[in-house]
Amino acid sequence: MDSAACAIRYSSQGQRRGVHFLYYPSLKWANALDEFEQLPDKVQFYFKTSFDYWNDYRFNSDRFHGFDRSHKKGAYKDCFVFRNIQQKCRLYGFLSRPQFSGDVDLCILVLFCRKKENLTDETMLRRINQVRVRKDVVEAIESFRRELRRS
Amino acid sequence: MKHKHWTEESADAFVYRIASDFVEQLEQKRKTLKWTRKRLAHEVHLSTGRVSQVINNPGNLTLELIVKFARALQMKVSVLAYEDKDPENVNGPINAEVFRVCWENARKPTAKWQIDDIRMAATIDNMFKEYVPVFSPIAHATSVAQGNALKGEMVHAGAYTNSF
């Protein structure tokens, strides 16, 4: 799969939801996967636990949240962030809704950043919005969904 | 292609995940009691820094600390092993919260004999269900017959349906 220009890399899949990474080497700022793999084990474990909680529908705004219609009139309603407040780092991504009954909700992680402030940097969200509608990204998700259905 | 859950990569990973579930339960209770971390630290005779360290890095929890924290928050702890038909660990550990909620829904049995009673009640319930024919006028007939069954009278729902 890595030979593709753009693909979804498996990370954490529950029965109804899954969190995975966008692999897009030619898009420099789509760095979530690379940066995540370089994080210390304990920080990775923290994020992976958060992925499990999201997959399990366990609400925990300290660990993750979306950007509903109250935020910038819903301009970023498909964006999502997993955060580690202690380590001051975040993983930004977007939600991909199921298209067929029996399909799962996916959260595709795109961007990693380190930040101290609590406020969200809108640049990140704008980038996420750009990438989520790209034709190659949409196709990569489709292909990934087909793979999930088969398994 | 079957992917294994990330907790399969090492014992450390598994410990981190189940300890995180425990810490989530602690934090929930601490917030319910409106205790600060400082107050919790005072109750467990540790420094606030040490408490934050444990909460932020649950992988370092020992059984002794787990018990100390739980008791300080007026809770108890069980160490539980289970089989979930997932020997390859594709799905990861079942969240501790699931066990807690199920136990509460089962009216919090505290002894083996209470579990036996629950099993017996379930058996009676199942026996009753076997007596309900598919064609019975379902809702009303079922509730009345169930009431009789609970009183100790095993009612054949077919006979009941005839008198309905």
Side-chain angles (χ1 to χ4, degrees), chain B residues 1-57:
Chain B
M1 151 187 62
K2 241 183 188 177
H3 295 270
K4 289 187 177 175
H5 192 262
W6 64 274
T7 50
E8 194 60 13
E9 72 188 51
S10 66
D12 276 355
F14 205 105
V15 167
Y16 188 97
R17 172 53 215 278
I18 58 173
S20 294
D21 291 353
F22 171 74
V23 163
E24 287 282 314
Q25 290 185 303
L26 280 191
E27 283 289 87
Q28 227 170 5
K29 184 69 193 284
R30 182 181 66 81
K31 286 170 187 169
T32 308
L33 293 173
K34 294 182 178 157
W35 284 11
T36 58
R37 280 193 185 173
K38 195 176 171 185
R39 166 79 192 270
L40 178 60
H42 174 77
E43 298 289 337
V44 288
H45 310 293
L46 291 172
S47 69
T48 313
R50 177 77 181 114
V51 168
S52 292
Q53 199 181 23
V54 166
I55 287 170
N56 295 326
N57 193 356

Side-chain angles (χ1 to χ4, degrees), chain A residues 5 11 20 32 35 52 55 57-59 61-62 64 69-70 74 79 90-91 96 99 121 126 148:
Chain A
S11 176
H20 307 283
E35 294 284 341
D52 283 352
N55 287 345
Y57 287 72
R58 292 191 63 182
F59 176 76
S61 60
D62 286 343
F64 50 78
R69 290 180 198 283
S70 65
C79 296
R90 289 152 202 247
L91 286 161
S96 164
Q99 285 148 4
D121 182 353
R126 274 199 296 269
L148 279 181

Side-chain angles (χ1 to χ4, degrees), chain B residues 72-87:
Chain B
L73 288 160
Q74 300 144 27
M75 297 161 93
K76 289 184 184 174
V77 181
S78 287
V79 178
L80 168 82
Y82 57 91
E83 289 178 45
D84 62 352
K85 294 181 181 168
D86 179 26

Side-chain angles (χ1 to χ4, degrees), chain A residues 19-85:
Chain A
V19 183
H20 307 283
F21 287 89
L22 177 70
Y23 170 78
Y24 205 148
S26 61
L27 204 59
K28 214 174 177 183
W29 48 261
N31 62 348
L33 180 60
D34 278 350
E35 294 284 341
F36 183 78
E37 284 177 345
Q38 285 167 40
L39 290 172
D41 278 356
K42 293 282 163 68
V43 184
Q44 285 196 24
F45 290 168
Y46 180 90
F47 276 121
K48 287 173 176 176
T49 300
S50 301
F51 301 164
D52 283 352
Y53 288 178
W54 186 72
N55 287 345
D56 279 359
Y57 287 72
R58 292 191 63 182
F59 176 76
N60 189 325
S61 60
D62 286 343
R63 288 176 175 266
F64 50 78
H65 65 84
F67 300 86
D68 61 14
R69 290 180 198 283
S70 65
H71 188 91
K72 304 280 177 188
K73 294 180 181 167
Y76 305 113
K77 64 182 171 56
D78 291 313
C79 296
F80 205 80
V81 63
F82 284 91
R83 56 188 188 169
N84 184 332
I85 295 171

